[in-house]
Amino acid sequence: MKFTKMHGLGNDFIVVDGLVETIVEAELPDLARRACDRHFGVGADGIILALPSDKADFRMRLINSDGSEAEHCGNGIRVMAKLVHDRGHTQASRITVETIGRINVLDLNTEDGKVETVRVDMAEPIFDRGRIPMTGPAEEEAIEVPLEVGGRTLGFSCISMGNPHAVTFVEDVDAFPVETLGPLVEHHPVFPRRTNVEFIQVLGPAELRMRVWERGAGITLACGTGACASLVAAARTGRSGRHATVHLPGGDLLIEWSDDNHVYMTGPAVEVFQGELI
């Protein structure tokens, strides 16, 4: 099966053009675990599948490196958009992409016929516990709720951007024990489907620094949905405005929580190389 190695700010993926390649559903979890292994495989945070859709222009699936499937991925949807455009499946500057539970609108910015950056309408943030999902009263919000992890109590604002996120604010994110506390929060019993975890340092009203522990992948260099959830959490708790540059280890994303209540994310998409899985 042929693939393209791609990344969005270092959040890297094995991207398969399912509009051309034959995909065996039952093999996907094991394939992801083997191919994403950074010592014995290609190495990636997950496998992205570009697929046909009867609801949108295209459909995206993401299989995490542990074999689980994610509902959404902000960096992944940008690289998938680059693939379908640069491989000639579309020449439109605006496309729609189906993910689990939603249709995403993407604006493609090109240079010399190739996609360089993508602006994604990430839809409206979800605050209800029942839809994140999170235990507790289904319609109640979980803003700055205390959770005990690793012998300490941290306040988390929990939001869904099509997938679950738990955001906490710290004074020095570079020195914070993300590697230790990230998995404890991911698997905390309050999150029945686990969660992505964002650790945020506020640099100013329009500037955030972020590290992330991704559900099913661990520490990654960037997380697009996580950056969106973090900006929403910062704005909702009065720590920032509704527009901010989010600095991630892999680079920067521009996030805006617009007056229409939609969150918009703009960032790059990069092709690294092509290969074949055998």
Side-chain angles (χ1 to χ4, degrees):
M1 181 167 58
K2 294 180 179 178
F3 71 90
T4 303
K5 180 68 181 289
M6 308 182 77
H7 76 86
L9 299 181
N11 193 189
D12 60 337
F13 305 97
I14 296 166
V15 186
V16 177
D17 186 350
L19 302 164
V20 175
E21 299 292 323
T22 299
I23 296 169
V24 181
E25 175 76 25
E27 296 178 357
L28 285 175
D30 183 61
L31 176 65
R33 287 188 287 267
R34 290 187 293 106
C36 293
D37 189 292
R38 296 191 183 276
H39 298 286
F40 298 101
V42 178
D45 294 322
I47 292 181
I48 294 281
L49 306 174
L51 300 164
S53 172
D54 58 5
K55 299 177 181 178
D57 296 322
F58 303 98
R59 181 165 67 100
M60 182 187 85
R61 293 182 65 189
L62 167 60
I63 311 301
N64 291 315
S65 58
D66 70 351
S68 63
E69 184 165 1
E71 301 93 338
H72 201 357
C73 177
N75 291 316
I77 204 169
R78 294 200 317 275
V79 302
M80 197 218 78
K82 178 176 175 63
L83 180 98
V84 296
H85 178 277
D86 292 0
R87 295 295 182 272
H89 296 305
T90 182
Q91 290 301 309
S93 60
R94 171 170 286 189
I95 63 172
T96 55
V97 177
E98 177 189 358
T99 55
I100 295 175
R102 66 174 60 192
I103 303 296
N104 306 270
V105 180
L106 289 72
D107 292 307
L108 314 183
N109 304 308
T110 61
E111 185 174 326
D112 297 327
K114 303 290 186 181
V115 170
E116 294 293 323
T117 63
V118 181
R119 184 176 189 260
V120 186
D121 180 349
M122 300 290 284
E124 300 184 25
I126 295 168
F127 297 96
D128 299 352
R129 283 176 177 260
R131 297 172 64 199
I132 290 174
M134 187 178 181
T135 60
E139 297 181 0
E140 183 180 281
E141 297 182 355
I143 301 298
E144 297 198 301
V145 297
L147 292 181
E148 292 187 12
V149 286
R152 66 175 78 191
T153 301
L154 298 173
F156 285 90
S157 293
C158 302
I159 296 162
S160 172
M161 292 301 309
N163 56 354
H165 294 272
V167 181
T168 191
F169 296 91
V170 302
E171 291 186 6
D172 184 353
V173 72
D174 292 330
F176 203 77
V178 173
E179 299 87 345
T180 302
L181 296 182
L184 297 179
V185 180
E186 177 192 357
H187 294 277
H188 196 285
V190 77
F191 301 108
R193 296 182 188 171
R194 300 183 292 159
T195 188
N196 300 282
V197 193
E198 286 77 36
F199 301 85
I200 305 299
Q201 179 180 349
V202 178
L203 303 179
E207 198 171 8
L208 307 175
R209 188 186 304 280
M210 168 180 150
R211 292 178 66 196
V212 60
W213 178 275
E214 288 202 56
R215 179 186 58 168
I219 288 179
T220 62
L221 295 179
C223 177
T225 53
C228 294
S230 297
L231 180 277
V232 169
R236 184 64 183 271
T237 59
R239 291 179 168 92
S240 78
R242 294 172 68 99
H243 299 245
T245 298
V246 181
H247 303 291
L248 304 109
D252 296 345
L253 288 172
L254 177 62
I255 310 296
E256 46 188 313
W257 186 12
S258 181
D259 291 341
D260 63 4
N261 200 36
H262 284 228
V263 182
Y264 296 87
M265 172 194 65
T266 303
V270 178
E271 179 173 333
V272 183
F273 63 84
Q274 298 178 42
E276 186 170 359
L277 296 170
I278 58 175

